[in-house]
Amino acid sequence: MKATAKAHTNIALIKYWGKRNEAIILPTNNSLSLTLDGYYTTTTVEFDESLSQDQFILDEQIASGEQYNRVTAFLDIIRQMAGKQLFANVTSVNEVPTAAGFASSASGFAALAAAGSKAIGLHLSEKELSRLTRRGSGSACRSIYGGFAEWEMGMREDGEDSYAIPIAPANYWDIRVAAVVLSATKKSVSSRAGMRRTVETSPFFQGWLDSISYDLAEIKQGIKARDFQQVGEIAEANCMKMHATTLGAKPPFTYWHDTTLVVMQKVWEMRSQGIPVYFTIDAGPNVKVLYLPEHEAYIEQTLGELQGVTDIRLSKPGQGITYI
Ligand code: DP6
């Protein structure tokens, strides 16, 4: 009753921003992401009859509070699916440096879902695994697959049709992502709280939703044609629209810091000089820069020279779930 799985995090090119059901995590729109090779979580789950409660060890520390509660609540879903009342030892190791601004919850819940469902004896298809993973953290359901994946929001109230599907594998197209780490330290609004406030109060939220189907169709066409300009333009515009919704919220907020804008402007400047480079930003100040391999050295150097940039971490498309 033991299994180990490894999952990578992903960066959304079309953002998941808004829930229609918070309890079982159902989104208000489809989203599309690229799984990244550099950032992953490895998790071992062992169900054991002799345990009287779950134990969760994260990066060699016994976890408690919110972190522990989210893991046990997720194991409850797995137990219910399997019809087994067994507690588990969960051990996770994160290779997702928080400083880079990638959510470890994406790789974390994908690895937990894979290892936990296998350990308890459920034989889930990728689709079923993605649907289960969604219950832990929405963006995590896309990390079941390598390369490009799309989370289909679904229409049903019970979430049966809300899961990710593969769009193109990791080796399909070598697009690179540089995570530009900024020295900003102010704690931002969590993505969960941020999307809730936006859905409830921002008059721009409807405009965001109305623009999704166009963005999705265009980016999928761009991926199909391996047209980097098209993919980059759509991803950047989609990011800007997501962040615009936060400015309209009540009270208004933004994830951007002064250096966030400095990096954005540098990307625009490089583009005006003919270098195909684009950015996207999640629920935090760091900027993720999209580029092609031949421009890696120049982009790394140019962004590294900016004041307020403390680190640049490069990654390539990564693989989906693997069992160890
Ligand atoms: C801005 O997946 O972290 O990164 O479902 O509440 O756990 P929960 O939210 P989460 O939100 C991610 C938001 C985002 C965009 C994205 O990854 O699509």
Side-chain angles (χ1 to χ4, degrees):
M1 301 219 81
K2 181 175 175 177
T4 300
K6 175 175 166 181
H8 291 85
T9 193
N10 67 77
I11 180 76
L13 304 178
I14 304 296
K15 305 295 185 190
Y16 147 49
W17 194 245
K19 290 183 181 70
R20 64 182 204 277
N21 179 327
E22 279 214 24
I24 59 170
I25 308 192
L26 295 177
T28 49
N29 64 277
N30 286 25
S31 55
L32 187 146
S33 63
L34 178 62
T35 298
L36 300 176
D37 74 337
Y39 311 94
Y40 58 88
T41 302
T42 309
T43 295
T44 300
V45 178
E46 183 170 23
F47 288 94
D48 185 338
E49 284 174 3
S50 68
L51 293 173
S52 55
Q53 62 174 58
D54 296 316
Q55 177 171 259
F56 177 36
I57 297 177
L58 176 60
D59 294 328
E60 299 183 342
Q61 306 250 24
I62 296 179
S64 59
E66 171 71 9
Q67 263 175 345
Y68 176 82
N69 293 342
R70 274 182 83 175
V71 165
T72 52
F74 191 75
L75 290 171
D76 285 343
I77 300 171
I78 293 179
R79 283 186 273 262
Q80 200 191 5
M81 280 172 82
K84 289 183 187 155
Q85 239 335 294
L86 287 172
F87 292 106
N89 275 317
V90 178
T91 311
S92 278
V93 179
N94 267 336
E95 301 292 339
V96 190
T98 37
F102 287 109
S104 59
S105 62
S107 53
F109 278 103
L112 178 64
S117 59
K118 187 166 181 222
I120 210 163
L122 290 167
H123 299 281
L124 302 183
S125 65
E126 287 186 320
K127 173 174 129 179
E128 289 165 330
L129 183 59
S130 176
R131 189 163 54 203
L132 165 65
T133 304
R134 188 201 80 225
R135 303 280 303 271
S137 180
S139 55
C141 81
R142 301 181 305 237
S143 275
I144 301 308
Y145 308 100
F148 296 94
E150 179 179 0
W151 175 10
E152 310 214 302
M153 61 175 281
M155 298 304 288
R156 290 172 56 140
E157 291 297 314
D158 63 5
E160 285 297 294
D161 55 355
S162 187
Y163 48 78
I165 56 167
I167 296 289
N171 64 6
Y172 171 76
W173 190 12
D174 189 7
I175 283 189
R176 302 281 169 92
V177 178
V180 184
V181 183
L182 311 179
S183 53
T185 51
K186 202 180 116 233
K187 209 179 140 23
S188 54
V189 183
S190 72
S191 51
R192 210 161 265 199
M195 59 177 98
R196 185 187 309 136
R197 195 192 298 176
T198 305
V199 172
E200 287 171 359
T201 67
S202 179
F204 304 157
F205 188 69
Q206 190 57 47
W208 156 253
L209 290 183
D210 292 344
S211 75
I212 296 288
S213 60
Y214 174 85
D215 285 0
L216 264 175
E218 290 288 305
I219 206 161
K220 283 198 266 189
Q221 194 185 68
I223 293 168
K224 198 167 179 192
R226 292 193 183 82
D227 181 339
F228 184 67
Q229 182 179 339
Q230 175 144 339
V231 169
E233 277 177 6
I234 295 288
E236 189 174 296
N238 184 268
C239 153
M240 295 298 271
K241 284 182 283 191
M242 173 202 132
H243 286 270
T245 66
T246 72
L247 300 180
K250 197 174 162 199
F253 65 106
T254 183
Y255 290 107
W256 298 354
H257 286 254
D258 46 3
T259 319
T260 309
L261 268 164
V262 171
V263 177
M264 290 161 68
Q265 277 160 346
K266 187 49 98 178
V267 168
W268 288 333
E269 189 186 309
M270 284 193 274
R271 210 150 75 216
S272 73
Q273 292 160 352
I275 297 162
V277 53
Y278 301 87
F279 63 76
T280 186
I281 304 165
D282 279 336
N286 293 348
V287 183
K288 317 296 172 7
V289 175
L290 311 170
Y291 61 94
L292 293 170
E294 57 265 37
H295 298 114
E296 184 155 280
Y298 180 75
I299 281 163
E300 189 179 17
Q301 195 200 335
T302 306
L303 297 174
E305 283 167 356
L306 295 175
Q307 198 153 25
V309 170
T310 55
D311 197 9
I312 303 207
R313 292 165 185 266
L314 310 177
S315 55
K316 301 184 179 114
Q319 302 296 328
I321 291 285
T322 49
Y323 295 92
I324 297 165

